[in-house]
Amino acid sequence: RRAEAANGISSYSDNPDIELLLNDVLRSEESDMVIAEVLHAMSEITDGASGTDERFMQFSGSNYAMNIRIAAVEALSNYEGNERVISRLQNIIRQESSDSLQTTALQSLSKIVDTERLAGITSSFIAGNQIPDHVPFLLYTLAENGAGEQAVVLADKTLEWNTPYDVTGEIIRFLIETDESSVNWLNRLPELMSNPHPGVRLAAAEAILKLSAGSRSDFIDTILPNEFDERVRRKLREM
């Protein structure tokens, strides 16, 4: 019931005493569930106001329960351009092992930096072969914010690394949705279709349709004799 009350109290954000009340609750409350809901409410009320970030930075620390940390990290998405918050979120992304916390931090970070800054941060993650599982999210976010060409360049860089097979498949799907250049695909496909994992080759086979009709036929004739996975061979014959 206390958690439900905390959830509902944010509707009264025009009352200046509400934030004081919630501060008192935080000092005395012991339930992780209630604290997380209080942080959600305080995030709604403060809405990124100057000087209110410290509280959420504090509760994002490793000494708190995961649901509290996630609530705090979600709240940090209100602090656009705040360098301390940006640095904190990047540290969480790099250092934490919790997938849900990393994902929340990435979502918050993508909301408080501009597209150029996000592209630079993504590039640094890729260069360090960090958080490969989350790279597809960053690529889609960049493309959705008008940086599709930059995202394609970064996706190609990611494919050069020893990326997990399932992530490689996601990146290939991103490129299929984003890159219409037959020249780019003609350069990209030979290596993808020689990948030792048949799942990667199967995903890449979809992109053969991006080639011109003549290039497509020649390319299939070149790789088909060396392909021994029946699923991939069937896909190539359908092209």
Side-chain angles (χ1 to χ4, degrees):
R1 295 295 298 275
R2 298 199 306 279
E4 290 175 0
N7 179 272
I9 205 167
S10 61
S11 302
Y12 301 90
S13 58
D14 56 340
N15 186 330
D17 294 328
I18 293 296
E19 187 177 352
L20 296 174
L21 167 65
L22 292 178
N23 273 324
D24 289 339
V25 172
L26 283 179
R27 281 192 285 268
S28 59
E29 183 57 61
E30 297 181 355
S31 165
D32 296 342
M33 178 174 63
V34 178
I35 293 172
E37 287 298 338
V38 169
L39 290 175
H40 283 306
M42 293 191 84
S43 175
E44 293 276 338
I45 292 166
T46 56
D47 194 27
S50 178
T52 61
D53 58 306
E54 186 58 43
R55 176 189 301 107
F56 303 115
M57 298 268 281
Q58 171 194 343
F59 281 99
S60 70
S62 59
N63 51 322
Y64 291 98
M66 188 56 65
N67 60 337
I68 292 175
R69 299 182 72 192
I70 289 174
V73 169
E74 285 177 350
L76 293 176
S77 67
N78 289 328
Y79 297 91
E80 185 176 355
N82 184 314
E83 291 299 330
R84 291 180 69 248
V85 172
I86 292 170
S87 176
R88 175 65 181 145
L89 290 173
Q90 288 188 79
N91 286 338
I92 289 172
I93 293 163
R94 289 191 177 100
Q95 298 170 7
E96 294 296 333
S97 58
S98 165
D99 184 74
S100 57
L101 186 61
Q102 281 185 324
T103 299
T104 305
L106 281 165
Q107 291 169 341
S108 291
L109 181 64
S110 69
K111 294 175 183 175
I112 64 174
V113 297
D114 61 28
T115 303
E116 184 177 353
R117 180 81 176 271
L118 184 62
I121 291 170
T122 302
S123 181
S124 70
F125 287 150
I126 291 171
N129 201 21
Q130 297 170 311
I131 61 164
D133 292 353
H134 296 287
V135 167
F137 165 80
L138 289 167
L139 296 176
Y140 277 108
T141 301
L142 285 171
E144 288 164 5
N145 284 277
E149 290 185 11
Q150 288 174 284
V152 166
V153 171
L154 292 172
D156 280 329
K157 286 183 179 179
T158 307
L159 292 175
E160 295 172 4
W161 293 88
N162 188 24
T163 309
Y165 295 128
D166 56 337
V167 178
T168 299
E170 289 186 58
I171 293 170
I172 291 171
R173 282 189 286 275
F174 165 78
L175 286 167
I176 289 173
E177 293 175 21
T178 309
D179 189 7
E180 297 295 333
S181 169
S182 59
V183 174
N184 286 350
W185 281 108
L186 196 57
N187 291 330
R188 189 183 290 133
L189 276 168
E191 186 169 353
L192 290 175
M193 292 306 298
S194 63
N195 190 288
H197 196 284
V200 171
R201 301 198 303 277
L202 190 61
E206 297 282 350
I208 293 175
L209 292 174
K210 300 287 185 180
L211 303 179
S212 64
S215 297
R216 188 186 315 157
S217 178
D218 291 342
F219 183 71
I220 291 173
D221 288 344
T222 300
I223 64 173
L224 190 57
N226 300 313
E227 179 56 64
F228 299 101
D229 187 284
E230 187 53 37
R231 296 168 300 171
V232 182
R233 291 178 63 84
R234 190 181 309 118
K235 174 64 70 174
L236 292 174
R237 294 192 194 100
E238 292 172 356
M239 295 293 177

